[in-house]
Amino acid sequence: MKERIFGKTGRSVSEIGLGTWQLGTKWGEPFNHDEAMRILQAADESGITFIDTADVYNGGESEKAIGEYIKSHPNKFYITTKCGRQLNPHTDEMYTPSAVRGFVEDSLKRLGLEKLDLILLHCPPTSVFARDDIFGELEALKKAGKIADYGVSIEKVKEGLMAMEYDIAAMEVIFNMFRLKPLDELFPKAAANNVGIIARVPLASGILTGKFKKDTMFGDKDHRTYNRDGAAFDKGETFSGVPYDLGIELAEELKEKLGTADLAGTAIRWVLMHPEVSVVIPGASRASQVIENVRASELPALTDDQMAFVRALYDENLKPIIHPQW
Ligand SMILES: NC(=O)c1ccc[n+]([C@@H]2O[C@H](COP(=O)([O-])OP(=O)(O)OC[C@H]3O[C@@H](n4cnc5c(N)ncnc54)[C@H](OP(=O)(O)O)[C@@H]3O)[C@@H](O)[C@H]2O)c1
C-alpha cells in the first residue's frame, strides 16, 4: 500500500483508507459487531492506516467499534471523525461553540482516545462555513490538546472555498468519475494551501463497481432507495447525485471503453491519478470488499486516452446536471 502526506497535518497515511458509514452492515440493516471487527481487521492487515468515521454513523456504533478495535491494536490508524449532523433541527443557529466542544468530548469517549487526530464539520448548512465563532472554537480545542487538527466535509465546491478562509488542515469532498467539478477550482486552491483532500463516495455508492442493473432493488431503509431524490439529506450523497438509470448506462460504457472487468478498482485508481488527493475512502459492507478495494493501489496508471475518455463522458452526460448543483 502506497502512502501520501496528508496536507498540513504532515502525517503519512495510506492512499486508500476505509469509509465506515456502513461499518458492520449494509446500509439500513442492523449493525453486526463481528462483521465490523472483520472489516477493521481486513483494513489493518491490508495496510490501511486511515479511517473515516462520524459520530452519527450507525448511531455511534461505528466510532465505538473503531474504539474497541484500536484498544487492542493501538497506533494503527489515523482516525478522522465528524460532527454536527446530530443537531436537530440541523440549522445554523444550532451550531454553537459549546455544542462543538460537546461533540469532541463525546467522540473522544466513544473512540477511547485522549486526543482526536482530526475532526471535520459534517456538511453543515452553508452559512456555518463563514462562522468565526465555530472555527475559533476548533482552534481553541486544538490549542487545548483535544484535537490535533480540524477541517470540513462539504457538499458544494463553494463551501470548500469558504472554509479555506480559515486554517483548516483537511477537506472531505465527493470526487469520482461522475463528479469532476472539484478539479476546476477547489483542488488547485487546496494544493496551494496545503489542505489535505479526502475523496469520498469514490464508487458512487456502488454504481461504479458495475455490479448493479437497472432493476436492482435495494432495502427500504437503504439510502439508495429512500434518498434518490434527496428526501432525507443531500441527494449528492446517493449515487453521487446521478440519476440511477443514467448511472447504470454510463458504468456499462466505462467498463467497455476502459476495457476493464474490475470497474471498482479502476474507479479507485482513477481517483488516485490526482495528486491533490491525499486519501480515497471507499466504504465496505463486508471485509471482502476492503480486500478487493486496496488492490487499486497497485493497479497501473490509467492511460492518457482512458483519462480523456472519462473526462469526455462526464462533460457530455453529467456536467450539465452535476456542475450547477454542487
Ligand atoms: N457527508 C460526508 O462527509 C459523507 C457522506 C458520504 C460518505 N462519507 C464517507 O465516505 C465513505 C465512502 O462513501 P460511500 O460509502 O457513501 O460510497 P462508496 O464508497 O462510493 O460506495 C460504497 C458501497 O459500494 C459497495 N462496494 C464497495 N466496495 C465494493 C466492491 N469491491 N465490490 C462491490 N461493491 C462494493 C458497497 O455497497 P453494497 O455492498 O451495499 O452494494 C459499499 O457500501 C463512507 O463510508 C463515509 O465514511 C462521508
Side-chain angles (χ1 to χ4, degrees), residues 11 41 45 56 62 77 96 109 126 140 146 203 210 244 261-262 274 296 301 305 319 321:
R11 297 276 296 266
Q41 188 174 351
E45 289 172 358
V56 288
S62 176
F77 297 117
T96 61
K109 272 193 214 112
T126 302
K146 295 281 183 187
L203 302 172
Y244 184 69
D262 173 20
H274 301 87
D305 283 353
K319 191 172 180 179
I321 308 171

Side-chain angles (χ1 to χ4, degrees), residues 2 4 21 37 44 82 86 100 110-111 114 143 155 160 168-169 176 190 198 211 251 256 295 310 322:
K2 298 188 189 75
R4 297 186 183 197
W21 179 9
M37 290 300 139
D44 185 1
K82 314 188 207 77
Q86 48 181 303
V100 170
R110 278 187 293 267
L111 288 163
E114 284 176 7
K143 290 212 171 79
E155 301 290 3
I168 58 169
N176 60 43
I198 306 166
K211 69 178 178 178
E256 189 194 321
R295 290 190 197 133
V310 175
I322 300 294

Side-chain angles (χ1 to χ4, degrees), residues 41-233:
Q41 188 174 351
D44 185 1
E45 289 172 358
S46 305
I48 285 179
T49 62
F50 185 101
I51 293 185
D52 177 78
T53 185
D55 54 1
V56 288
Y57 291 166
N58 280 314
E61 294 298 340
S62 176
E63 281 190 334
K64 280 194 224 161
I66 295 163
E68 183 185 330
Y69 188 85
I70 60 173
K71 200 169 174 195
S72 51
H73 302 79
N75 305 317
K76 290 278 191 165
F77 297 117
Y78 179 99
I79 299 165
T80 295
T81 193
K82 314 188 207 77
C83 69
R85 301 296 304 198
Q86 48 181 303
L87 292 170
N88 188 8
H90 186 235
T91 56
D92 179 290
E93 301 75 52
M94 295 291 281
Y95 276 80
T96 61
S98 77
V100 170
R101 225 167 22 250
F103 294 146
V104 167
E105 290 298 344
D106 292 346
S107 285
L108 283 169
K109 272 193 214 112
R110 278 187 293 267
L111 288 163
L113 294 170
E114 284 176 7
K115 187 187 214 177
L116 298 176
D117 291 325
L118 177 68
I119 191 157
L120 308 177
L121 299 176
H122 195 171
C123 299
T126 302
S127 52
V128 175
F129 292 98
R131 289 268 303 270
D132 289 354
D133 58 341
I134 297 301
F135 286 97
E137 181 59 30
L138 289 167
E139 191 60 41
L141 286 161
K142 185 173 166 174
K143 290 212 171 79
K146 295 281 183 187
I147 60 178
D149 281 296
Y150 60 87
V152 294
S153 181
I154 61 167
E155 301 290 3
K156 300 182 180 72
V157 161
K158 80 166 180 191
E159 295 169 341
L161 297 173
M162 288 167 73
M164 279 191 277
E165 295 299 312
Y166 299 95
D167 191 20
I168 58 169
M171 186 186 308
E172 185 167 317
V173 55
I174 298 179
F175 182 58
N176 60 43
M177 294 197 288
F178 288 170
R179 181 71 74 97
L180 271 56
K181 188 171 176 182
L183 289 169
D184 297 352
E185 201 181 346
L186 192 70
F187 281 8
K189 188 158 182 196
N193 288 302
N194 198 18
V195 170
I197 295 284
I198 306 166
R200 77 173 184 267
V201 197
L203 302 172
S205 316
I207 289 194
L208 283 170
T209 64
K211 69 178 178 178
F212 298 142
K213 301 277 173 258
K214 285 190 179 170
D215 61 1
T216 299
M217 299 292 287
F218 301 91
D220 288 351
K221 294 182 186 156
D222 186 326
H223 72 99
R224 293 172 294 190
T225 298
Y226 68 77
N227 197 50
R228 285 188 191 194
D229 297 317
F233 45 84

